[in-house]
Amino acid sequence: MMSCKVLVVEDVAIAQKVAVMILESLGCSVDVADTGDQAVQKYQNSHYDMVFMDIGLPDTTGIEVTKEIRLLENGNNPTPIIALTAHNEDSYKTASFEAGMNDFIVKPLTRISAEQMLNKFT
C-alpha cells in the first residue's frame, strides 16, 4: 500500500467516482477537479504526488492545463502528470508528451493501470 496525494482531473461523474475508488483502494488521498480552471487552482493550493489528467475537459484541454502547470512549476520538481483519454491516436500521445505529460492511459482507468503509474512515478 502506498501513501500519496493524487489530483484527478475529469469532468464525467462516473469516471471520477471510479478513479477515486481505485486510487483510494491503493492508499491514495484523492482530490477531483471537474474543469481545467479548477485543476490549476487545486494544483496551486496543494502538493500532489501525481495528477491523472483527462484530455477532454469542458473549458479547455488537459494538454493546455498541463502546459499551465508546467509553467507554474518553473522546472522545479515536476509532478508526474498522466494523460487519461478515450483517444488512442498517436497525435494525442504526441501532444500529451510535448505538453509535459509523463505517461498516457487509454480510458477506462483500471486498478492495474493506476497501480502501474503509481509504482512507476511515486
Side-chain angles (χ1 to χ4, degrees):
M1 242 354 144
M2 50 200 77
S3 168
C4 58
K5 188 163 183 189
V6 178
L7 176 61
V8 173
V9 184
E10 169 63 68
D11 59 317
V12 178
I14 187 75
Q16 289 175 354
K17 286 188 177 97
V18 169
V20 168
M21 196 176 69
I22 288 169
L23 291 163
E24 285 180 347
S25 79
L26 292 168
C28 299
S29 75
V30 185
D31 287 344
V32 176
D34 296 303
T35 65
D37 281 346
Q38 243 185 40
V40 171
Q41 281 173 355
K42 286 182 186 256
Y43 185 85
Q44 287 177 298
N45 295 324
S46 192
H47 165 79
Y48 294 101
D49 298 302
M50 183 172 285
V51 178
F52 286 92
M53 180 75 68
D54 187 8
I55 300 285
L57 296 166
D59 58 336
T60 183
T61 68
I63 288 164
E64 292 307 314
V65 177
T66 298
K67 288 177 183 173
E68 224 174 306
I69 286 172
R70 292 301 185 223
L71 285 172
L72 290 170
E73 291 173 335
N74 200 20
N76 300 318
N77 298 323
T79 302
I81 300 178
I82 313 304
L84 263 182
T85 180
H87 303 284
N88 196 16
E89 293 87 22
D90 285 340
S91 60
Y92 283 93
K93 286 183 183 170
T94 302
S96 298
F97 289 122
E98 283 174 355
M101 291 189 190
N102 301 85
D103 218 321
F104 193 92
I105 295 175
V106 177
K107 287 182 182 180
L109 181 67
T110 64
R111 185 179 166 92
I112 291 169
S113 61
E115 203 167 13
Q116 284 172 335
M117 292 300 141
L118 290 165
N119 287 333
K120 184 172 178 180
F121 292 107
T122 60

